[in-house]
Amino acid sequence: PVAPSKLSEYALLESKRICIIMTTYNVVDYVSIAMDSVLTQTYQNLEIIVVDDNSNDGTTDLLLKKYATNPPNASTVVPTVQIIHLTHNTNGGAGQPSNIGMESCSNYTDYVMFADGDDYIENDAVESMLAHAFRFKTDVVMADFDVVETLDDGSMSSTPSYDFQHWDELPSDIPFNVITHPRLLRTSPVPWRKLYKRKMLLQYNVKFPEYVQHILISFFGLLWICSIFV
């Protein structure tokens, strides 16, 4: 049997709402894989917001027909999906769509994650990252990733993350930041692969720059300074 203290810990963990923000643009061949990998997570208290940047390849229609559900509420403990279709292409990368996604998170959201429309998330990724956030009481949890490509013959090729040398030098059993481990600055500053405490994002007003192609450095420059990682 599970000890009462563990039961209360599990209940607290499962009460946390995670908003996964997915930005899409012309990814009709991949977005179903991305969405299904999110919807089949072992952790189900999810609010999924897809912000489509005016795709013209059928991505929007597929999302609306296959995935749109009712909006979240305080008692919802199964994934809900909200599709936001922008009527014009922002022409500046994922900055504005990502900000729209953050602004659209419900008031019940405790943590935020990002995903691209051609990503695949391992089915226990959310549960594992949330457990680490609880265990170490951190603002951000960062995970490793693989780069997967479809070859000409239709087969799949997987290679380690392009920053794995720096990733391997970071601790996995203690909290850290850029002061204690400056090697963190050498890892890829992508928004996905991380779980963020929403309270921290709001406290420091962390947002993406808009209408520019290279949005990541300034967003994560602030994030790295004000956060504790694990």
Side-chain angles (χ1 to χ4, degrees), residues 50-107:
V50 185
V51 185
D52 183 72
D53 203 3
N54 197 29
S55 293
N56 55 27
D57 68 340
T59 296
T60 309
D61 290 340
L62 186 154
L63 288 168
L64 290 171
K65 291 178 181 178
K66 189 175 180 180
Y67 294 107
T69 63
N70 295 324
N73 58 66
S75 61
T76 300
V77 292
V78 295
T80 61
V81 181
Q82 178 184 0
I83 311 296
I84 300 175
H85 172 60
L86 304 184
T87 57
H88 65 283
N89 183 266
T90 59
N91 196 32
Q96 187 177 16
S98 297
N99 286 337
I100 291 172
M102 286 197 288
E103 292 165 0
S104 302
C105 291
S106 72
N107 293 331

Side-chain angles (χ1 to χ4, degrees), residues 108-216:
Y108 319 115
T109 299
D110 299 292
Y111 292 87
V112 174
M113 294 179 67
F114 294 93
D116 289 341
D118 57 356
D119 286 347
Y120 173 83
I121 304 174
E122 295 287 348
N123 73 324
D124 63 344
V126 174
E127 181 178 11
S128 177
M129 295 173 79
L130 182 60
H132 276 73
F134 261 63
R135 177 185 176 189
F136 297 105
K137 297 179 173 59
T138 58
D139 297 322
V140 182
V141 176
M142 183 165 66
D144 196 9
F145 66 95
D146 290 331
V147 178
V148 179
E149 296 180 287
T150 303
L151 304 179
D152 292 340
D153 61 2
S155 62
M156 307 295 288
S157 171
S158 177
T159 57
S161 58
Y162 41 79
D163 61 358
F164 72 91
Q165 301 97 327
H166 309 300
W167 166 262
D168 287 344
E169 295 177 0
L170 295 173
S172 60
D173 56 352
I174 59 170
F176 60 91
N177 55 38
V178 294
I179 304 300
T180 62
H181 291 77
R183 181 69 65 175
L184 178 62
L185 294 171
R186 291 184 173 271
T187 61
S188 174
V190 292
W192 42 265
R193 79 184 288 191
K194 303 176 181 79
L195 175 74
Y196 311 88
K197 185 181 292 184
R198 188 182 185 220
K199 182 179 179 181
M200 177 270 298
L201 296 176
L202 294 174
Q203 178 181 353
Y204 294 102
N205 195 31
V206 179
K207 294 182 179 180
F208 290 85
E210 298 185 0
Y211 305 109
V212 293
Q213 291 292 338
H214 302 290
I215 63 172
L216 300 177

